[in-house]
Amino acid sequence: MPVTRPVALFNEEAAEWPHFAPHLRAAFAAAGLDVELRERFDGRPVDYLIHGPNGPEQNFARLPGLKAVLNLWAGVERVVTNPTLTVPLTRMVDPGMTEGMAEYVAAHVLRFHVGTDRHVLGQDGLWRPETPPLARDRPVGVLGLGVLGAATARMLAVLGFPVTGWSRRPATVPGVTCLGGAEGLRAVLSQAQIVVLLVPLTPDTANLLNAERLGWLPRGAAIVNPGRGGLIDDDALLAALDSGQVGHATLDVFRTEPLPPDHPFWAHPRVTVTPHIASVTRPESASRVIAENIRRAEAGEPLLHLVDRGAGY
């Protein structure tokens, strides 16, 4: 009998197909896989769904023979609650995405640390010789110590910042003090002059930074949120910015994207808006992750980066 080729369906916005298709085909070949890659669903059986949350196929029950959903994004909150999901789901852990995230956060942490804005935006003819502290004297808190959070925390530690990380699951990151639980969260926030949010968005982490927890921060602390918009209570953040409790916030993710032009974040003098560019899935490196998981599935091996649906990530 002829050997049946596994079928992978690319389920993301049509504009992404030309960016991913050549890299996926190259990654399949490099992994020794003979995979039929399809651009759109035509009713025939599908083995693997290469899935983006904006893809046209959201009813997985329509896909006969489906073995696994391979998410193209690191966040899975828009997939894990899909009632038609009955097969294993993996999240994207892309080396390119990880590097980009660490670089974005390091840039904005250093921006706050050395007071770059005062010099770049404040060239008004006044000489202000304000010397910033050394990195070793600027505590940083990183909320979330998964792949992205751990890489970011390590980079900040290498730069000399004393980094304390917090996660819901026990974590160990070289050079980083790792805490957990409610008391650990308060300990991190109470001493962090700069806070980075990289926890997944789940029912337990929604509005993680609410009015009470923003009040735990040292006055004037900065926030960098490249994680998920729902991690922060928007109204509480605006109030904290207005009062000076929070000195500045760089926000890359929002509850509604694109961020509406009339949203107060755009005009607030203590907010920097970036358009969800902190880090993105890189087609070349992400395709190798997809190919490896298909290879593993076809060989009967455990999938990488399998999502715990109960935990939501």
Side-chain angles (χ1 to χ4, degrees), residues 99-188:
E99 293 172 32
M101 180 63 76
E103 291 169 8
Y104 173 95
V105 172
H108 284 280
V109 167
L110 286 169
R111 171 188 161 216
F112 293 136
H113 172 59
V114 302
T116 300
D117 287 7
R118 289 196 301 273
H119 305 292
V120 173
L121 304 177
Q123 297 191 23
D124 53 7
L126 296 179
W127 191 262
R128 299 183 180 89
E130 302 168 355
T131 304
L134 295 173
R136 66 177 183 233
D137 298 320
R138 180 87 73 182
V140 176
V142 176
L143 306 187
L145 293 174
V147 173
L148 296 177
T152 297
R154 286 194 300 269
M155 178 173 283
L156 294 173
V158 167
L159 291 172
F161 294 99
V163 181
T164 305
W166 177 85
S167 58
R168 294 178 60 207
R169 294 175 176 173
T172 301
V173 181
V176 176
T177 301
C178 300
L179 303 177
E183 293 183 0
L185 179 60
R186 181 156 194 161
V188 172

Side-chain angles (χ1 to χ4, degrees), residues 11-313:
N11 185 45
E12 180 54 295
E13 293 176 306
E16 296 297 329
W17 170 254
H19 300 295
F20 276 90
H23 292 297
L24 285 166
R25 292 191 175 105
F28 293 153
L33 295 171
D34 182 17
V35 176
E36 180 183 348
L37 179 64
R38 296 180 188 159
E39 181 180 1
R40 60 181 62 87
F41 180 54
D42 58 10
R44 292 180 293 165
V46 171
D47 296 293
Y48 303 101
L49 189 68
I50 303 171
H51 180 69
N54 298 317
E57 300 302 328
Q58 299 295 330
N59 182 357
F60 304 140
R62 282 174 21 96
L63 307 176
L66 189 63
K67 297 177 181 178
V69 174
L70 311 176
N71 206 47
L72 284 170
W73 291 17
V76 294
E77 67 274 4
R78 291 171 57 183
V79 191
V80 73
T81 56
N82 189 321
T84 67
L85 178 66
T86 59
V87 297
L89 168 69
T90 64
R91 69 186 191 281
M92 176 52 64
V93 178
D94 167 18
M97 179 190 297
T98 302
E99 293 172 32
M101 180 63 76
E103 291 169 8
Y104 173 95
V105 172
H108 284 280
V109 167
L110 286 169
R111 171 188 161 216
F112 293 136
H113 172 59
V114 302
T116 300
D117 287 7
R118 289 196 301 273
H119 305 292
V120 173
L121 304 177
Q123 297 191 23
D124 53 7
L126 296 179
W127 191 262
R128 299 183 180 89
E130 302 168 355
T131 304
L134 295 173
R136 66 177 183 233
D137 298 320
R138 180 87 73 182
V140 176
V142 176
L143 306 187
L145 293 174
V147 173
L148 296 177
T152 297
R154 286 194 300 269
M155 178 173 283
L156 294 173
V158 167
L159 291 172
F161 294 99
V163 181
T164 305
W166 177 85
S167 58
R168 294 178 60 207
R169 294 175 176 173
T172 301
V173 181
V176 176
T177 301
C178 300
L179 303 177
E183 293 183 0
L185 179 60
R186 181 156 194 161
V188 172
L189 294 178
S190 296
Q191 55 83 42
Q193 294 181 20
I194 303 174
V195 178
V196 180
L197 281 81
L198 282 170
V199 293
L201 180 60
T202 70
D204 291 331
T205 61
N207 291 324
L208 182 66
L209 288 192
N210 55 21
E212 178 185 5
R213 293 179 182 131
L214 289 168
W216 296 347
L217 293 169
R219 185 169 179 80
I223 294 171
V224 181
N225 183 18
R228 286 291 181 265
L231 298 174
I232 305 179
D233 181 323
D234 289 359
D235 292 337
L237 176 58
L238 287 166
L241 288 161
D242 289 340
S243 72
Q245 171 60 19
V246 173
H248 199 98
T250 288
L251 308 175
D252 186 61
V253 286
F254 307 92
R255 295 173 186 273
T256 300
E257 294 185 2
L259 185 67
D262 59 349
H263 196 287
F265 283 154
W266 281 113
H268 202 289
R270 293 181 174 176
V271 174
T272 299
V273 171
T274 59
H276 206 143
I277 57 165
S279 195
V280 298
T281 301
R282 313 278 172 156
E284 184 174 3
S285 50
S287 292
R288 291 193 289 267
V289 177
I290 296 292
E292 172 60 15
N293 258 340
I294 293 179
R295 186 202 66 76
R296 284 171 167 263
E298 290 297 296
E301 300 174 13
L303 295 174
L304 298 173
H305 320 308
L306 193 63
V307 171
D308 180 343
R309 295 189 62 187
Y313 60 95

